Each structure stands twice: as structure tokens, then as C-alpha cells.
Amino acid sequence: MASTSSSESQASFLTSRTSLVAISTFTVGTIAWYTHLYGTIPFIGQVSANSPSEEGLHPTAYPWSHNGWFQTFDHSSIRRGYQVYKEVCAACHSLERIAWRNLVGVSHTASEAKAMAEEVEYPDGPNDQGEMFQRPGKLSDYLPSPYPNEEAARSSNGGALPPDLSLIIKARHGGCDYVYSLLTGYVDPPAGVDIREGLNYNPYFPGGAIAMARVLFDGLVEYDDGTPGTTSQYAKDVVTFLNWASEPEHDERKKIGLQAIILMSSMTLVALYTKRFKWTSLKNRKIVYNPPKPKH
């Protein structure tokens, strides 16, 4: 009898809804963790005509301060990152989706952003004579591009087209980790690897040969807040700035998500309390039947 009862309870557990949910959660969690670590679904992999060496070295996962569920951007780092972009990256790369007004309240004050915009001349018009003219920038204007068109950009960079950096973090596998590793990963090519003239070796770039030379060096930019100027600090700050540029709603999205969790949790508690209060009288009611006594 004891063995029969044990086997029945075991079979009941295996067929219960709780065990089904637990097994499903474990399976989905395992697949998600494997995909996060290796970038591919287990047993399926990624269909690619390139070898692992042609795909580029997989970047290290760095502990970015804004990666947590409740963490926000370091706005001091965004401000420093904009300074690095302006003094280094803006010579070749555009940031077409960011306007001067987007910097207000994030990295600069309204007066600072307005002053920076007015330093740039923008074409406007026509005027009363039907002619185009140049005017100082306004907060509604977008950050200027270094080249007037794609042909000019290719001509100035040996045929290579510097990508726009507005969505570069979202557009590259590895995101912040990849861009940071790329900026700090320039080394001499190993023995047996030939890099043609005009290209530079970077193991994190697919194929290893990249047209962009190393641009970040210690002491290149003097920060306004006195932060030590090192290559790793420049890369960290400009990557944080570019990540913000890719999703300016990042902080607000997490704030709204937290508010939604608080609201739904409160509504759930109210619903449970109301249900218990409303139905407690019915659940605790006891019905007793007293049959009539037979008459003799």
C-alpha cells in the first residue's frame, strides 16, 4: 500500500500544473541564458558564410552603470561623452537624429545648448528677395554633419563611408561592449596577418581590417570637470553618450515601467482584499439542515 501511494503521488506531481510551469520556466530560462552568453540559440546556431575569425572577436561584457532594471544613465558621463564626440568623432561622423534641444536637461542647460547651436551656421530661406541665407543655429536644429553629402564623405575617407552614430549602439551586435572594445582594441596585426595600406588592424572589427584609425589617446581631450583623460575614460564616456543618443527615452521608459509595476501591484492588492472582504461571508457561511422529527 505504501509503494502504491508513493507512486500515485509521484505521478500526480509530474502531471500537475505546478510541475509543468516549473519545467517550462527552467527550459525557457536556460535557453535565454545560453543565448545571452553565446549569442546563438543552442543546437541551432547562426547561419553565416563567415568563419568566427571573419566575424570579429567577441567583446567583453562590461558592467555599465545603466544596464540594471532600475539604473539610469550617468549624465555627467553623457556630458563628457558629448565633449569627446564634438572634439574627436564629429570630424568624420554625423549624429543626424539628435537636435540641440535633446541635450537640454540631459547633459547641458538650455542656455548652454542655445549657445552651442548659435556657433553653427545653418542655411535658411528664401528671404524677401528669394535668396537663401545663413543664420545662427537654434535649439530646434539638428547637429550638423561633417560632410554635405555621401560622395564628399567617401572622397575624404579613401572611399569608406563613416556611419552615422545616432543609432550605432543599437545597430551593432554587442552594443556598448562592441563599440567600447572597438575604440580601445587597436593592436599590431599578429604574425601571418597582412593588412593592406590604408587599413588598420582591430580584432573586434569583422575581418580585422578597419579603415578608421585609432582616434583616442591619453590626454587628447581635457575634460571641463577635471576627470582624468585616459583612453578608457574617453571610450567609456563617448559610448555612454552614444547609447543615450540611440535611446533618449531610456530613463523615462524605466521610470514609467516602475510606475506601472507599482500601479499594477497596488491594484492587485486592492482586488484581492476586495474579493476576500466581499466573499468572506459566503465562504464562511455554514448551512445546517435539521430534518423534521417524525410524528408517531
Side-chain angles (χ1 to χ4, degrees):
M1 290 293 294
S3 60
T4 304
S5 176
S6 176
S7 60
E8 288 179 355
S9 61
Q10 184 177 5
S12 176
F13 172 76
L14 293 177
T15 58
S16 66
R17 182 174 298 179
T18 303
S19 62
L20 179 62
V21 172
I23 294 173
S24 300
T25 304
F26 176 78
T27 303
V28 173
T30 304
I31 295 175
W33 182 247
Y34 183 95
T35 306
H36 172 72
L37 289 178
Y38 300 102
T40 58
I41 300 177
F43 308 113
I44 297 178
Q46 183 177 5
V47 179
S48 176
N50 297 335
S51 64
S53 61
E54 292 172 328
E55 291 290 353
L57 190 63
H58 192 75
T60 303
Y62 294 98
W64 299 97
S65 60
H66 54 267
N67 273 354
W69 287 8
F70 304 106
Q71 276 69 44
T72 59
F73 281 125
D74 180 355
H75 289 254
S76 297
S77 183
I78 293 178
R79 183 184 178 96
R80 294 193 300 267
Y82 169 76
Q83 186 178 351
V84 175
Y85 166 79
K86 179 181 178 181
E87 297 185 19
V88 180
C89 309
C92 298
H93 295 275
S94 60
L95 206 62
E96 296 178 351
R97 293 177 178 267
I98 299 299
W100 295 108
R101 66 174 180 268
N102 298 130
L103 300 176
V104 177
V106 177
S107 58
H108 297 77
T109 63
S111 58
E112 289 176 332
K114 185 177 181 179
M116 291 188 297
E118 291 176 348
E119 294 176 358
V120 183
E121 294 288 329
Y122 287 86
D124 202 348
N127 55 18
D128 295 339
Q129 288 75 37
E131 298 176 348
M132 303 297 291
F133 60 93
Q134 296 290 114
R135 61 162 177 81
K138 300 181 293 186
L139 289 178
S140 58
D141 292 320
Y142 286 81
L143 271 64
S145 298
Y147 305 104
N149 50 60
E150 179 179 331
E151 288 70 20
R154 290 186 181 277
S155 176
S156 301
N157 292 275
L161 178 64
D164 178 77
L165 300 183
S166 301
L167 300 174
I168 195 66
I169 299 298
K170 293 296 185 182
R172 296 294 183 269
H173 177 69
C176 292
D177 297 329
Y178 168 76
V179 177
Y180 178 88
S181 299
L182 184 73
L183 292 174
T184 59
Y186 286 90
V187 293
D188 294 330
V193 176
D194 295 327
I195 302 297
R196 66 183 178 86
E197 185 178 357
L199 297 181
N200 305 272
Y201 180 73
N202 192 315
Y204 295 99
F205 188 76
I210 182 173
M212 184 180 75
R214 179 182 176 182
V215 294
L216 299 180
F217 300 91
D218 293 347
L220 181 64
V221 177
E222 184 177 354
Y223 283 136
D224 297 333
D225 60 1
T227 301
T230 62
T231 300
S232 58
Q233 184 67 48
Y234 296 148
K236 181 256 185 185
D237 291 336
V238 75
V239 168
T240 302
F241 169 72
L242 293 177
N243 194 1
W244 166 81
S246 296
E247 44 180 351
E249 79 289 348
H250 176 275
D251 292 355
E252 187 66 20
R253 172 166 50 82
K254 288 187 176 180
K255 180 181 178 181
I256 294 175
L258 183 58
Q259 292 174 344
I261 293 175
I262 294 174
L263 178 61
M264 297 302 294
S265 300
S266 302
M267 292 179 63
T268 301
L269 291 175
V270 171
L272 292 175
Y273 176 80
T274 304
K275 178 181 180 299
R276 184 177 181 84
F277 178 78
K278 182 179 179 62
W279 295 99
T280 184
S281 59
L282 294 177
K283 287 187 175 182
N284 296 329
R285 185 171 59 180
K286 183 178 180 180
I287 300 177
V288 179
Y289 174 68
N290 295 318
K293 294 181 180 180
K295 296 181 179 180
H296 296 285

